[in-house]
Amino acid sequence: MNYNMRILFLIQCFPFPPCDGISVKVYTLIRHLASKGWGCDILCFGNHDAGLRVAEFEKIAAGVKVRAVIPLPSTLERAFGTLSSLLKGLPPSFGGFKSRRFRAALEKISAETGYDAAHYDVINMAQYLPFGPKVPSVLSSNDAISLFYSGMIKECSGIFRKAYLRLSAWLIRRFEAAYYKRFDKVHVVSEADAAHLKNICPEINLEVIPLVVDKAFIDYKPQREHGQGKDAVRIVFTGNLAIPGIANGLFEFLDNAYAELLSGASPFEFHILGPNASPEDEKRVLAFPGVKYLRWAKDYKAFLMTADIVLVLDKSGTGIKNRVLEAMAFGKPVVGTKIAFGGIAAENGRHCFISNSPQETGAELKSLLTDTALREKIGASARELILSSYSMAALGPQWERLYKDIIPQKS
């Protein structure tokens, strides 16, 4: 097969500019394929300012055509959609993306010819498979979502929240088992996610391709450390504090290791970028001396660039953590849990420091705080790993093979 393919991408949120792990993956993928001469059409959901971003995206990515951007369902529509999904035994998150307008647009596009494959991005788009073009299909699930929910259940404390998560996990697992095998290929980002899905349904045709880092991080030129020539080294923690596994990991460290680290001879600044924290958690964070807390950073890259050490303390989760890849791409030494480095081929003590307890985290931070050369060495090794294994230059050919491999199955 030596012709350039044409792919229809169904996406739950317009991917430009990329603002989270999901949009970074699909944005970098589409740009890569377009640079190879492939046709990439997009049907997606988006908000009121999507029109301006569509024009800019199509300008910088020749070969990309945005077929339509459909408004997200209203609050009332989402409520009815969630209820409808539950009554049908489908994952409740489908309700947020259940849209007659999206379905109608998809059916109109599907009546056309010329597509070689259809790419459904993340589980919420899988519900549209019956209405998509009758061509080979790829579901890019990223993670094994039922496994992700199982981890959240362990970290969640509220009775009703646990009950909702258990119901969601059961419905998602059932959907994964019954529906994923209908796709010609299902993409996940780690072997752990693939093993979980294979255990659920051995018939799923799985492909593991890691996440890639946004080119803006790849193109970053390493600069002098923030801490060099200054009184204090800066430690930065990032993570959505609405996620129990992230918040619990942070507070375990603060409760059990922060005071000892603070009493050491080496001065440091501790900055927490933790969006979506509850008022109680925000108060709890600010009660610790010396902590500087931010709800949001307008320019995340600029904020991350000020870090000398990055801390990622997730206690639950699946797949690959995009914020870990981004920090490593910036040449920052990262200290984190085993889960934080899940799916990343990082060697402890060479590319990063992996801790098994708050006390270990404190000890590793203490070593980095007092040793500039160690920070530079770990950061440089981390960046080399990203460039060699987690850039689109490294992983783009795997995506090309994924699409090409499924075409003969239905030719």
Side-chain angles (χ1 to χ4, degrees):
M1 187 178 306
N2 54 15
Y3 61 87
N4 293 329
M5 292 203 292
R6 186 180 176 210
I7 301 174
L8 175 64
F9 285 85
L10 306 176
I11 311 172
Q12 70 177 21
C13 183
F14 188 66
F16 181 78
C19 59
D20 56 26
I22 294 174
S23 61
V24 165
K25 181 210 69 183
V26 72
Y27 167 76
T28 54
L29 172 58
I30 289 172
R31 286 208 64 182
H32 170 79
L33 296 176
S35 74
K36 299 293 182 179
W38 293 29
C40 299
D41 288 12
I42 297 173
L43 174 64
C44 64
F45 287 99
N47 54 26
H48 64 280
D49 67 341
L52 295 174
R53 293 182 287 130
V54 164
E56 186 178 356
F57 187 34
E58 290 182 333
K59 183 177 180 181
I60 65 173
V64 173
K65 182 179 181 181
V66 180
R67 301 298 304 267
V69 179
I70 307 299
L72 284 163
S74 66
T75 302
L76 185 60
E77 288 172 330
R78 287 197 301 271
F80 278 114
T82 300
L83 179 60
S84 173
S85 296
L86 287 169
L87 292 174
K88 293 176 181 177
L90 296 172
S93 65
F94 281 15
F97 302 93
K98 193 176 184 67
S99 166
R100 292 181 179 178
R101 287 183 62 184
F102 192 94
R103 174 178 168 178
L106 177 57
E107 289 177 328
K108 182 178 179 180
I109 293 170
S110 298
E112 303 172 5
T113 59
Y115 288 111
D116 295 290
H119 174 118
Y120 298 77
D121 207 68
V122 305
I123 189 173
N124 291 320
M125 293 294 97
Q127 62 184 304
Y128 289 104
L129 179 64
F131 315 109
K134 306 308 177 187
V135 294
S137 58
V138 174
L139 171 62
S140 183
S141 178
N142 293 340
D143 306 338
I145 308 301
S146 58
L147 182 62
F148 173 79
Y149 271 74
S150 296
M152 285 187 67
I153 292 167
K154 295 176 183 177
E155 296 297 324
C156 185
S157 57
I159 295 174
F160 294 109
R161 179 65 174 161
K162 273 183 178 288
Y164 178 78
L165 290 173
R166 284 196 180 98
L167 174 61
S168 295
W170 178 73
L171 290 171
I172 291 168
R173 183 185 177 96
R174 194 173 76 158
F175 182 83
E176 289 169 338
Y179 215 79
Y180 276 24
K181 60 188 177 184
R182 302 183 188 182
F183 290 89
D184 293 282
K185 189 76 76 171
V186 173
H187 159 254
V188 291
V189 301
S190 78
E191 294 292 346
D193 294 289
H196 178 80
L197 290 175
K198 272 293 186 185
N199 184 56
I200 291 175
C201 181
E203 300 168 67
I204 300 173
N205 187 9
L206 284 158
E207 183 86 13
V208 177
I209 304 177
L211 287 180
V212 298
V213 179
D214 184 355
K215 194 172 183 293
F217 290 88
I218 294 293
D219 290 344
Y220 165 73
K221 304 301 180 185
Q223 298 176 359
R224 188 169 62 93
E225 276 194 347
H226 166 80
Q228 289 180 350
K230 299 182 182 294
D231 293 332
V233 175
R234 179 173 294 184
I235 301 171
V236 166
F237 170 94
T238 67
N240 184 348
L241 295 184
I243 299 175
I246 294 177
N248 292 348
L250 171 63
F251 287 119
E252 277 193 8
F253 167 74
L254 291 173
D255 290 336
N256 297 289
Y258 180 69
E260 183 178 347
L261 190 66
L262 197 63
S263 64
S266 299
F268 67 90
E269 300 174 1
F270 190 55
H271 293 244
I272 295 174
L273 176 59
N276 304 314
S278 67
E280 295 77 15
D281 281 350
E282 195 169 310
K283 282 184 181 179
R284 191 177 170 191
V285 163
L286 292 171
F288 288 91
V291 169
K292 297 181 180 180
Y293 173 70
L294 289 173
R295 296 187 183 94
W296 187 252
K298 185 176 181 180
D299 187 338
Y300 178 70
K301 295 183 186 70
F303 173 79
L304 185 62
M305 206 176 290
T306 68
D308 298 307
I309 304 167
V310 174
L311 197 56
V312 184
L313 299 174
D314 297 30
K315 292 191 67 184
S316 67
T318 54
I320 292 177
K321 307 297 176 289
N322 218 57
R323 63 192 192 281
V324 173
L325 294 181
E326 291 168 347
M328 294 174 75
F330 266 8
K332 307 298 181 182
V334 182
V335 178
T337 59
K338 185 177 179 180
I339 288 174
F341 291 100
I344 302 173
E347 183 181 333
N348 187 25
R350 180 185 175 192
H351 305 109
C352 63
F353 283 109
I354 302 173
S355 60
N356 297 304
S357 69
Q359 291 74 23
E360 278 192 24
T361 300
E364 288 155 355
L365 288 173
K366 191 176 294 185
S367 297
L368 288 166
L369 285 170
T370 57
D371 194 335
T372 301
L374 179 62
R375 293 198 299 271
E376 292 177 345
K377 179 183 176 182
I378 296 295
S381 295
R383 179 170 168 80
E384 288 174 6
L385 176 66
I386 297 302
L387 293 175
S388 64
S389 302
Y390 299 95
S391 65
M392 188 52 79
L395 296 173
Q398 291 187 40
W399 275 106
E400 293 171 41
R401 285 194 298 271
L402 180 152
Y403 294 116
K404 290 178 180 179
D405 285 350
I406 64 174
I407 298 301
Q409 297 178 23
K410 289 194 174 182
S411 294

